[in-house]
């Protein structure tokens, strides 16, 4: 396990415990997503935060000014702590770790559903319900259209990939034929 992921997990766990004690687990997750989207969506902000010759207090003032009306003090303090310690690049990893910790505690999991064509909301909810039943958690799903799959679906939940795509089946068939030929 890389040092960065260990650090992100520590921050995420601490933030989760604080959010849980304030009954704000879901709100903090949404707010962290806002921060991640704001920072990752703008290359200039990322570059500015990485500049070593800019005082940390100026970085914090700018981030607080931009986000103070959108996120709670808990989230702002966490972001501030990451910046003070030179770990602003970890904010995305903290969000990912937080969603996992919060999901485990709340009995939910985030899933990415890859399909060859766009699914309707009803189809998405059916796929989410089926996988939720399989793993025993409520699934929060997002969809990504991947035409290369040809058909079927791939579902990624955490580290696991469930591959029911046509391209995956063809690849497994090809592998089986190669091993039989040897």
């Amino acid at each position: 396990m890389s040092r960065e992921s260990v650090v992100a997990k520590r921050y995420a766990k601490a933030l989760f415990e604080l959010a849980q004690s304030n009954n704000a687990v879901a709100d903090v997750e949404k707010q962290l997503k806002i921060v991640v989207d704001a920072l990752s969506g703008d290359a200039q902000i990322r570059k500015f935060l990485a500049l070593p010759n800019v005082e940390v207090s100026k970085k914090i003032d700018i981030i607080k000014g931009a986000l103070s009306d959108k996120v709670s003090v808990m989230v702002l303090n966490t972001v501030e702590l990451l910046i003070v310690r030179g770990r602003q690049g970890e904010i995305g990893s903290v969000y990912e770790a937080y969603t996992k910790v919060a999901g485990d505690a709340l009995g939910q999991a985030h899933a990415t559903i890859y399909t060859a064509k766009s699914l309707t909301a009803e189809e998405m909810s059916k796929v989410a319900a089926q996988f939720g039943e399989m793993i025993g958690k409520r699934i929060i799903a997002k969809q990504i259209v991947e035409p290369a799959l040809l058909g079927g679906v791939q579902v990624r939940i955490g580290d696991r990939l469930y591959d029911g795509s046509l391209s995956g089946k063809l690849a497994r068939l090809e592998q089986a034929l190669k091993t039989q030929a040897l």
Side-chain angles (χ1 to χ4, degrees), residues 147-176:
L149 294 178
L150 304 177
V153 298
Q154 285 182 341
V155 179
R156 178 168 299 281
I157 303 171
D159 296 343
R160 291 204 65 148
L161 177 67
Y162 301 91
D163 189 354
S165 67
L166 185 55
S167 64
K169 289 177 183 177
L170 289 172
R172 289 189 294 277
L173 177 63
E174 178 185 23
Q175 187 63 35

Side-chain angles (χ1 to χ4, degrees), residues 126-139 157:
K126 284 181 181 178
V127 172
Q130 186 175 17
F131 278 90
E133 193 175 299
M134 187 170 63
I135 67 168
K137 293 184 178 183
R138 186 175 72 82
I139 299 292
I157 303 171

Side-chain angles (χ1 to χ4, degrees), residues 72-171:
S72 67
V73 173
M74 282 185 286
V75 174
L76 274 178
N77 287 344
T78 302
V79 172
E80 179 179 347
L81 188 60
L82 286 165
I83 292 170
V84 166
R85 295 196 174 160
R87 298 192 183 279
Q88 59 274 359
E90 290 293 312
I91 293 171
S93 299
V94 170
Y95 168 71
E96 294 297 324
Y98 183 89
T99 59
K100 180 158 180 21
V101 171
D104 289 345
L106 299 174
Q108 61 188 23
H110 289 265
T112 305
I113 300 172
Y114 300 92
T115 59
K117 64 178 185 87
S118 186
L119 298 178
T120 65
E122 183 181 332
E123 291 169 328
M124 280 290 289
S125 66
K126 284 181 181 178
V127 172
Q130 186 175 17
F131 278 90
E133 193 175 299
M134 187 170 63
I135 67 168
K137 293 184 178 183
R138 186 175 72 82
I139 299 292
I140 299 169
K142 71 175 181 178
Q143 180 183 16
I144 296 178
V145 176
E146 277 292 332
L149 294 178
L150 304 177
V153 298
Q154 285 182 341
V155 179
R156 178 168 299 281
I157 303 171
D159 296 343
R160 291 204 65 148
L161 177 67
Y162 301 91
D163 189 354
S165 67
L166 185 55
S167 64
K169 289 177 183 177
L170 289 172

Side-chain angles (χ1 to χ4, degrees), residues 9-83:
K9 285 179 184 178
R10 285 186 186 151
Y11 281 95
K13 191 169 185 334
L15 182 58
F16 172 75
E17 289 171 0
L18 186 61
Q20 191 174 33
S21 68
N22 288 302
N23 293 320
V25 173
D27 290 338
V28 167
E29 184 174 338
K30 289 175 189 168
Q31 293 169 13
L32 269 177
K33 178 71 173 145
I34 290 169
V35 172
V36 168
D37 289 346
L39 297 181
S40 66
D42 193 338
Q44 289 182 334
I45 292 174
R46 286 192 313 272
K47 195 176 202 180
F48 169 75
L49 290 175
L51 289 172
N53 58 343
V54 176
E55 291 181 31
V56 172
S57 61
K58 289 188 192 264
K59 293 177 185 180
I60 292 168
D61 288 344
I62 289 174
I63 294 299
K64 280 186 174 181
L67 298 173
S68 64
D69 60 335
K70 295 175 183 73
V71 299
S72 67
V73 173
M74 282 185 286
V75 174
L76 274 178
N77 287 344
T78 302
V79 172
E80 179 179 347
L81 188 60
L82 286 165
I83 292 170

